[in-house]
DNA sequence: AACAAGCGCAACCGCCTCATA
DNA sequence: GTATGAGGCGGTTGCGCTTGT
């Protein structure tokens, strides 16, 4: 059955459309302030407005409501929107419930204009939050500026690494070659045919390094020697992940949102979250004795220790009950018995709410995609 | 200065959901 | 169980402003 529009056709000529005037706004605000809005359909007549009820509702909820927060979105809000969108998709109204004072319309507009553009520039598909695999566009996306930026940031990370802030590297080598070590593989990725000389140089540099940290090894291995079919795509995927995880890594924090069939997987995911992208996908756990959702809100080493401790005490995470557990290092874990399939939507909703409401939630990036959508997968490696 | 193109955002449209008769 | 209608939601449009030529 096709319903008529909310404003009957016989009234169309009378009902005003288009931008609201200050006078109309004042009438609407005055009426709702005094009488409320129990019935939008009858409201316009009662308020002396020549608008349809739907238009009044929209004007009120999106613009006139007193609790609306106007102005530029903060970085925190932007990050939260991206997180939420990666989990919820285009559920703008649900996203809006997590950002006080922001309307679904405002968030939708902001995402489609600002965030969408940003993600595209980063090589991320704004709809799926996964790296784009359009080969013809990759080279345009990863431009020289990004390479330089990436190299500088990688250099910072390696310095952090050598200072023991990230990882447990024993490598105290001079970092002078770090930039070269990082930028050459990226150049190689863009155009292998014309970077043979650079690759040779890289090989020489690698030989000169007495000890290479495990992170560096993994990074270069995955950039230069992706195995098996789809090597190019793997390179691109990893490159995107790598470029985009740098800022998060630089903060020295590891956070993850995952559905994890644990046992050994607990350790694997913990490590992965500590240094996203540098643990191989093959580290996925086989056994499934329980399902857990872990939020690492800590410095990297602390996060690993916290989860490892949980796993080492008992592979089944004995002290993680049906609700949340908080580790001393700031890690928050949620778990329930059974496999991922045994966790119903309500449980996921509850977890989702708890995590997303957490101001410290920081997204991480896994092989299954940038800002992984855990709800869609039984297992999301972070 | 004039025009075109791009951008941001308020508002609209039409479909969906849910409550109610 | 079905029809109806209000409210809600997401997609889209179009206007006004800004920026570039």
């Amino acid at each position: 059955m096709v319903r008529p529009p909310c404003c009957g056709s016989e009234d169309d000529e009378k009902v005003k459309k288009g931008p609201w005037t200050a006078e109309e706004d004042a009438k609407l605000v005055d009426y709702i302030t005094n009488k409320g809005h129990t019935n939008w359909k009858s409201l316009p007549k009662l308020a002396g407005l020549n608008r349809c009820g739907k238009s009044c509702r929209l004007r009120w909820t999106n613009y006139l409501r007193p609790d609306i927060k106007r102005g530029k979105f903060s970085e925190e809000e932007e990050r939260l929107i991206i997180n939420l969108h990666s989990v919820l998709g285009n559920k703008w109204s649900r996203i809006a419930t997590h950002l006080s004072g922001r309307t679904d319309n405002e968030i939708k507009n902001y995402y489609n204009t600002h965030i969408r553009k940003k993600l595209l520039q980063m090589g991320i598909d704004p709809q799926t939050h996964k790296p784009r695999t359009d080969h013809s566009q990759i080279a345009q996306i990863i431009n020289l500026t990004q390479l330089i930026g990436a190299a500088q940031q990688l250099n910072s990370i390696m310095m952090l690494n050598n200072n023991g802030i990230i990882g447990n590297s024993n490598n105290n080598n001079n970092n002078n070659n770090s930039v070269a070590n990082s930028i050459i593989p990226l150049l190689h990725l863009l155009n292998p045919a014309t970077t043979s000389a650079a690759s040779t140089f890289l090989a020489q540099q690698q030989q000169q390094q007495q000890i290479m940290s495990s992170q560096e090894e993994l990074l270069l291995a995955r950039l230069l020697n992706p195995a098996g079919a789809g090597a190019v795509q793997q390179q691109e995927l990893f490159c995107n992940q790598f470029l985009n995880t740098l800022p998060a890594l630089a903060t020295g924090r590891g956070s993850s949102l995952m559905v994890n069939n644990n046992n050994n997987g607990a350790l694997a995911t913990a490590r992965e979250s500590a240094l996203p992208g540098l643990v191989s996908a093959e580290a996925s756990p086989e056994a499934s004795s329980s399902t857990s959702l872990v939020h690492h809100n800590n410095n990297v080493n602390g996060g690993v220790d916290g989860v490892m401790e949980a796993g080492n005490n008992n592979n089944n995470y004995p002290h993680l009950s049906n609700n949340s557990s908080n580790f001393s290092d700031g890690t928050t874990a949620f778990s329930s018995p059974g496999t991922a399939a045994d966790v119903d939507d309500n449980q996921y909703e509850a977890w989702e709410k708890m995590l997303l409401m957490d101001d410290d939630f920081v997204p991480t990036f896994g092989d299954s995609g940038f800002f992984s959508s855990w709800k869609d997968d039984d297992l999301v490696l972070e």
Side-chain angles (χ1 to χ4, degrees):
Chain A
M1 171 189 169
V2 179
R3 293 183 51 223
C6 72
C7 308
S9 57
E10 68 275 13
D11 295 330
D12 280 355
E13 288 177 19
K14 303 177 195 169
V15 175
K16 188 185 170 192
K17 291 181 180 180
W20 281 63
T21 64
E23 190 188 353
E24 288 175 312
D25 283 348
K27 279 183 180 177
L28 185 59
V29 170
D30 185 56
Y31 182 85
I32 292 177
T33 303
N34 293 315
K35 306 279 174 63
H37 52 78
T38 51
N39 187 330
W40 286 110
K41 190 175 171 78
S42 60
L43 186 147
K45 201 172 239 179
L46 296 169
L49 287 161
N50 193 21
R51 296 270 183 176
C52 79
K54 209 168 181 175
S55 180
C56 292
R57 183 178 59 81
L58 221 60
R59 183 65 179 170
W60 174 257
T61 56
N62 286 341
Y63 199 83
L64 298 174
R65 235 172 53 202
D67 57 332
I68 280 183
K69 184 177 171 183
R70 309 214 69 87
K72 202 170 179 290
F73 280 78
S74 67
E75 281 186 24
E76 184 65 24
E77 285 177 312
E78 187 175 311
R79 192 161 58 78
L80 186 54
I81 291 170
I82 295 172
N83 290 347
L84 290 161
H85 187 268
S86 72
V87 176
L88 301 172
N90 293 355
K91 304 290 180 192
W92 304 115
S93 58
R94 281 191 65 194
I95 292 173
T97 62
H98 293 286
L99 286 100
S100 64
R102 300 294 190 182
T103 69
D104 53 356
N105 205 40
E106 192 180 15
I107 293 168
K108 178 175 61 182
N109 283 333
Y110 187 73
Y111 191 92
N112 287 332
T113 54
H114 297 87
I115 296 177
R116 182 184 169 81
K117 201 185 301 172
K118 254 187 194 178
L119 292 178
L120 284 171
Q121 284 173 350
M122 294 164 75
I124 304 296
D125 185 320
Q127 210 53 45
T128 64
H129 294 259
K130 293 182 178 180
R132 298 168 75 196
T133 55
D134 183 345
H135 296 177
S136 66
Q137 293 182 25
I138 291 294
Q140 296 169 14
I141 292 162
I142 306 171
N143 58 30
L144 187 58
T145 306
Q146 283 177 294
L147 286 177
I148 292 168
Q152 288 171 340
Q153 291 184 72
L154 178 61
N155 192 32
S156 300
I157 287 167
M158 288 176 173
M159 290 174 73
L160 285 172
N161 179 34
N162 288 337
N163 289 332
I165 296 174
I166 292 179
N168 296 313
S169 171
N170 295 319
N171 179 9
N172 289 318
N173 289 350
N174 189 310
N175 286 299
N176 288 344
N177 294 324
S178 293
V179 171
N181 276 327
S182 60
I183 200 166
I184 289 170
L186 294 170
L187 288 169
H188 181 85
L189 172 65
L190 283 180
N191 191 350
T194 60
T195 54
S196 58
S199 296
T200 303
F201 173 74
L202 173 65
Q204 290 170 350
Q205 294 298 309
Q206 288 174 343
Q207 283 177 359
Q208 288 171 12
Q209 282 187 304
Q210 293 177 352
I211 302 172
M212 180 179 270
S213 73
S214 60
Q215 286 94 356
E216 288 167 351
E217 276 182 31
L218 282 161
L219 166 64
L220 293 175
R222 289 185 63 165
L223 278 169
L224 295 172
N225 304 306
V232 173
Q233 290 90 329
Q234 285 183 23
Q235 278 186 327
E236 290 167 356
L237 185 149
F238 178 63
C239 189
N240 277 312
Q241 289 179 344
F242 170 70
L243 288 175
N244 293 313
T245 54
L246 288 172
L249 287 174
T251 65
R253 299 160 69 91
S255 299
S256 69
L257 178 63
M258 59 189 155
V259 175
N260 167 33
N261 295 331
N262 58 38
N263 274 346
N264 292 333
L267 178 57
T269 47
R271 282 181 172 163
E272 185 100 19
S273 69
L275 207 54
L278 296 184
V279 172
S280 70
E282 290 72 31
S284 59
E286 297 298 330
S288 60
S289 56
S290 71
T291 300
S292 64
L293 188 69
V294 181
H295 176 210
H296 307 279
N297 175 23
N298 41 41
N299 69 58
V300 171
N301 285 329
V304 174
D305 291 345
V307 178
M308 281 177 67
E309 184 184 352
N312 288 339
N313 286 343
N314 183 315
N315 282 342
N316 293 335
Y317 276 42
H319 55 295
L320 299 186
S321 63
N322 280 327
N323 42 48
S324 67
S325 295
N326 295 301
F327 295 100
S328 58
D329 62 6
T331 295
T332 304
F334 307 90
S335 75
S336 72
T339 65
D342 296 328
V343 181
D344 63 19
D345 282 348
N346 290 335
Q347 182 69 68
Y348 280 125
E349 296 284 340
W351 285 348
E352 171 196 314
K353 192 172 181 184
M354 292 180 76
L355 277 176
L356 295 175
M357 292 300 283
D358 186 340
D359 290 340
D360 289 327
F361 174 63
V362 179
T364 54
F365 322 87
D367 288 308
S368 51
F370 186 61
F371 300 123
S372 301
S373 177
W374 52 272
K375 203 172 179 179
D376 292 338
D377 304 316
D378 282 348
L379 173 65
V380 178
L381 257 188
E382 294 292 339

